[in-house]
Amino acid sequence: MIICGIKLTHDGALALIDDQQLVCCIEMEKLDNAPRYMHFNIEMDRLEQLLQQYGYSFNSIDRLVLDGWAPEEQITINLGKGNFPVKLAGYGSMVMRENILERQCFDMPGFSGLSYASYQHVAGHIAGAYCTSPFANQQEDAFVLIWDGGMYPQLFYFHHKTGSVENLGVLFMLIGNIYSIFSQHFGPYKVKEGVVNDQLSVAGKVMAYIALGELKPELLPVFRSIYDAPGQKNMQFANSFSKTFLQQVQGRNYRDEDILHTFHVFLEQLLVEKLTAKIKRYPGRQPNLCFAGGCALNIKWNSAIRNTGLFKEVWVPPFPNDSGSALGTACCEMITAGTNYALDWNVYSGPAAINNGADEKWITQETTVQELAQLLFEKNEPVVFLNGAAELGPRALGNRSILAPATDAAMKEVLNKIKSRESYRPVAPICLEEDAPDIFEPGIRDPYMLFDHKVRPAWKDRIPAVCHLDGTARLQTVNSTDNPVIYELLMAYKQLSGIPLLCNTSANLNGRGFFPDAASAMAWNEVNYVWCNNRLYEKTEKHSFQLLSPTYNTSI
């Protein structure tokens, strides 16, 4: 059975599943340097072209599935016959006791005889998280925690034997967007009254910014008293919570950085407290947890949950936010259609990188991974690295990355400058899995950059570019199976330098999706080298990055 899932709203995408195997997942932002969070905007001719690249056509699709959304919003689709409003299943801010995997069917407007299914948005997060998890492969049950922007944190339990989802209820009454809504009153995120900031992008920035602050323990009871105060906690509670806090601390001269840091800790403690209490009400269940929704991109919360010891394993997919919703709604249909709930998938299932665009300003030649490692070692400057199919989700995991040596503290400044990012933003390390425990704490396997790790003291001076202000790192580990090309590059670089990691940040224009081709990276014109599928493009008139000469300690 061939299933095509489509996410129409922000983070628009299509996912194609053929007999429980993921063929591809194409996020709109990863085509043509499109803006981040792009809606689904392709007509039938383009859709047909995309499917043909994988040997399929629109007519070969057995089941078409559209992700659910808020019913008050009018959503349209254009498949070459104009924009038509479509009916969708709901959002699921707080689901009650209904069948969470209820399948709703509709006729496609403008297409005689074409019908589609739709599932609640929350159901897509549940199915996408579970079906990609190791628990599905092991035929085990699992708790599934979903906390998305417009949702309260909700706990479910997936019963593998029956393919059914049990609703265990809400943990607490704060929607995921509270993190962004609260921040709009402080620091660089402060906005004028009545204006809402960009909630899709600001949360990740705040997570980095709080490293500038410190915990103020006396504020934790203030946050808790506001939350515990009697009164209705509806969808507007996030706004009233923020305004009440402002009133209570007015004139107390707290730094914005400290307030945001402490608020982060308050939410983390509340999440752990309520999750722990809820799990203890269900003894004897299999101690597996899937966590998805936009809040599952918060690496510190993920680590806090893992550190509770409540679970044998915590699984966070690399696309926990809405970038995984097309895949998730397709997984809902896969669950409904059969008895095998484990998706055969690979994180590198996005659009393929294209070699193109060389001109007189760039020279080009075939360059092996070993030769690229030599270049990184000798030149000590950033290289755009484009390889094969793009990674799924919002984080560059090696195939759409800017790579650079981490031995010079100034490299973080260089990377943030060429990316037009704030100076406090961290740069992630991409590291050989077998060496990670020696460099990071805990340093265990983390192939999707979704947990928090501390840089061990002995390594802080050796890899300063990937040390965040609080001494942590958003680590990605790589082994020979995860990404053989990156693994080969890191091995070669380690042999030369004694350092088994590189800086890794996303290769994209500011506010845009990943570079789709070499031409885009060259047109960006911020680096001297672009490597794409074993071909190196070298700028003839070089930028000067004014970095220190690298110094290496080859003993490891």
Side-chain angles (χ1 to χ4, degrees):
M1 177 179 291
I2 301 171
I3 302 169
C4 180
I6 294 179
K7 169 72 157 63
L8 291 175
T9 51
H10 71 78
D11 290 291
L14 71 90
L16 196 65
I17 294 175
D18 189 345
D19 288 336
Q20 285 82 47
Q21 182 174 12
L22 179 64
V23 177
C24 64
C25 185
I26 309 297
E27 299 161 52
M28 296 301 101
E29 69 172 45
K30 294 174 183 173
L31 296 173
D32 308 322
N33 297 297
R36 292 290 312 277
Y37 318 114
M38 186 76 178
H39 289 221
F40 186 87
N41 66 334
I42 56 176
E43 297 182 1
M44 182 61 78
D45 288 347
R46 184 71 189 279
L47 177 59
E48 193 69 26
Q49 290 173 4
L50 290 172
L51 294 174
Q52 286 176 358
Q53 291 176 16
Y54 298 92
Y56 296 81
S57 71
F58 190 77
N59 289 332
S60 69
I61 294 170
D62 297 308
R63 297 198 182 183
L64 179 65
V65 197
L66 305 186
D67 179 55
W69 203 247
E72 64 270 16
E73 294 187 35
Q74 186 180 74
I75 308 300
T76 62
I77 189 169
N78 185 346
L79 292 178
K81 297 187 177 183
N83 288 309
F84 290 94
V86 292
K87 296 179 180 179
L88 301 172
Y91 184 75
S93 295
M94 183 172 68
V95 296
M96 304 309 288
R97 298 297 171 184
E98 68 266 28
N99 175 15
I100 299 157
L101 290 176
E102 179 185 3
R103 183 178 190 263
Q104 300 183 41
C105 294
F106 306 97
D107 292 327
M108 180 68 74
F111 287 83
S112 176
L114 178 62
S115 63
Y116 63 93
S118 185
Y119 296 84
Q120 288 190 89
H121 183 65
V122 68
H125 281 305
I126 295 168
Y130 180 79
C131 292
T132 59
S133 74
F135 319 127
N137 275 319
Q138 297 157 14
Q139 300 185 7
E140 296 177 352
D141 298 350
F143 292 97
V144 184
L145 174 62
I146 306 297
W147 194 12
D148 204 28
M151 292 180 194
Y152 305 107
Q154 303 172 84
L155 188 65
F156 305 92
Y157 192 77
F158 192 98
H159 295 271
H160 186 276
K161 186 175 182 180
T162 60
S164 60
V165 178
E166 182 182 358
N167 184 0
L168 305 183
V170 170
L171 298 189
F172 52 88
M173 300 297 289
L174 287 173
I175 59 173
N177 279 341
I178 182 67
Y179 202 72
S180 300
I181 291 170
F182 185 82
S183 71
Q184 70 185 15
H185 300 283
F186 302 99
Y189 316 105
K190 189 173 183 178
V191 296
K192 295 180 180 179
E193 184 69 24
V195 179
V196 178
N197 58 17
D198 180 4
Q199 296 177 358
L200 294 175
S201 65
V202 76
K205 297 178 181 179
V206 175
M207 188 170 62
Y209 183 76
I210 62 173
L212 296 170
E214 59 183 39
L215 177 66
K216 296 297 179 183
E218 69 273 16
L219 289 179
L220 293 173
V222 177
F223 288 126
R224 190 57 186 254
S225 67
I226 298 171
Y227 176 77
D228 288 338
Q232 187 178 16
K233 294 180 175 62
N234 55 22
M235 295 296 287
Q236 301 305 314
F237 180 57
N239 289 301
S240 62
F241 181 102
S242 304
K243 292 176 181 178
T244 301
F245 176 81
L246 283 171
Q247 293 168 0
Q248 294 196 15
V249 299
Q250 188 173 8
R252 294 174 65 176
N253 296 321
Y254 284 106
R255 295 192 312 149
D256 288 0
E257 300 94 318
D258 297 340
I259 288 173
L260 289 174
H261 182 105
T262 306
F263 182 62
H264 172 100
V265 173
F266 162 71
L267 289 176
E268 180 180 296
Q269 291 180 352
L270 186 66
L271 175 61
V272 168
E273 172 196 333
K274 298 297 185 180
L275 179 61
T276 300
K278 180 75 77 171
I279 293 295
K280 288 183 177 179
R281 292 173 55 185
Y282 298 94
R285 303 287 182 104
Q286 288 188 307
N288 302 318
L289 179 71
C290 304
F291 184 22
C295 293
L297 286 172
N298 192 308
I299 62 173
K300 295 184 182 297
W301 293 349
N302 295 348
S303 294
I305 291 172
R306 187 167 66 179
N307 293 340
T308 62
L310 290 169
F311 306 104
K312 179 182 67 176
E313 185 173 352
V314 175
W315 165 252
V316 183
F319 33 77
N321 63 341
D322 283 12
S323 64
S325 291
L327 184 151
T329 200
C331 285
C332 287
E333 191 74 354
M334 188 178 79
I335 292 170
T336 300
T339 56
N340 184 353
Y341 312 128
L343 181 68
D344 182 4
W345 66 284
N346 188 296
V347 72
Y348 304 102
S349 297
I354 301 169
N355 278 314
N356 59 3
D359 58 29
E360 67 277 2
K361 297 179 181 179
W362 295 77
I363 58 175
T364 180
Q365 62 180 358
E366 292 294 315
T367 301
T368 68
V369 169
Q370 295 280 339
E371 291 167 338
L372 180 62
Q374 186 76 38
L375 185 148
L376 285 162
F377 176 69
E378 292 178 353
K379 299 295 185 181
N380 191 40
E381 60 181 82
V383 175
V384 170
F385 186 88
L386 310 177
N387 177 56
E391 43 276 80
L392 307 185
R395 292 182 178 160
L397 300 173
N399 276 15
R400 298 293 183 275
S401 292
I402 303 172
L403 303 177
T407 54
D408 188 338
M411 185 61 78
K412 179 167 69 172
E413 180 182 348
V414 165
L415 292 172
N416 280 336
K417 183 177 180 180
I418 65 175
K419 291 287 300 291
S420 300
R421 303 195 321 172
E422 299 85 353
S423 61
Y424 58 80
R425 300 279 293 278
V427 172
I430 186 167
C431 182
L432 292 171
E433 183 179 301
E434 57 264 35
D435 290 315
D438 294 330
I439 303 171
F440 303 97
E441 168 63 38
I444 56 180
R445 177 171 164 77
D446 192 350
Y448 306 127
M449 208 185 295
L450 286 165
F451 293 90
D452 202 27
H453 301 257
K454 291 184 178 180
V455 182
R456 295 188 185 275
W459 278 87
K460 287 183 177 180
D461 291 336
R462 297 182 67 185
I463 51 171
V466 295
C467 297
H468 194 27
L469 300 169
D470 60 2
T472 64
R474 193 170 71 187
L475 169 68
Q476 179 193 355
T477 61
V478 179
N479 61 35
S480 58
T481 301
D482 294 333
N483 191 322
V485 176
I486 285 288
Y487 185 81
E488 181 185 356
L489 177 65
L490 292 175
M491 284 292 291
Y493 181 75
K494 175 186 173 182
Q495 290 172 359
L496 294 166
S497 67
I499 308 292
L501 61 80
L502 290 165
C503 295
N504 173 26
T505 188
S506 58
N508 63 297
L509 299 171
N510 189 259
R512 302 275 167 167
F514 297 154
F515 290 136
D517 50 29
S520 300
M522 287 185 282
W524 177 52
N525 197 32
E526 292 290 343
V527 298
N528 294 323
Y529 300 97
V530 174
W531 189 93
C532 183
N533 298 328
N534 290 303
R535 177 162 288 275
L536 184 70
Y537 300 83
E538 180 179 352
K539 191 173 170 60
T540 54
E541 296 184 13
K542 300 286 195 298
H543 295 288
S544 176
F545 294 107
Q546 297 180 336
L547 287 162
L548 300 174
S549 298
T551 56
Y552 297 100
N553 180 355
T554 56
S555 62
I556 183 169

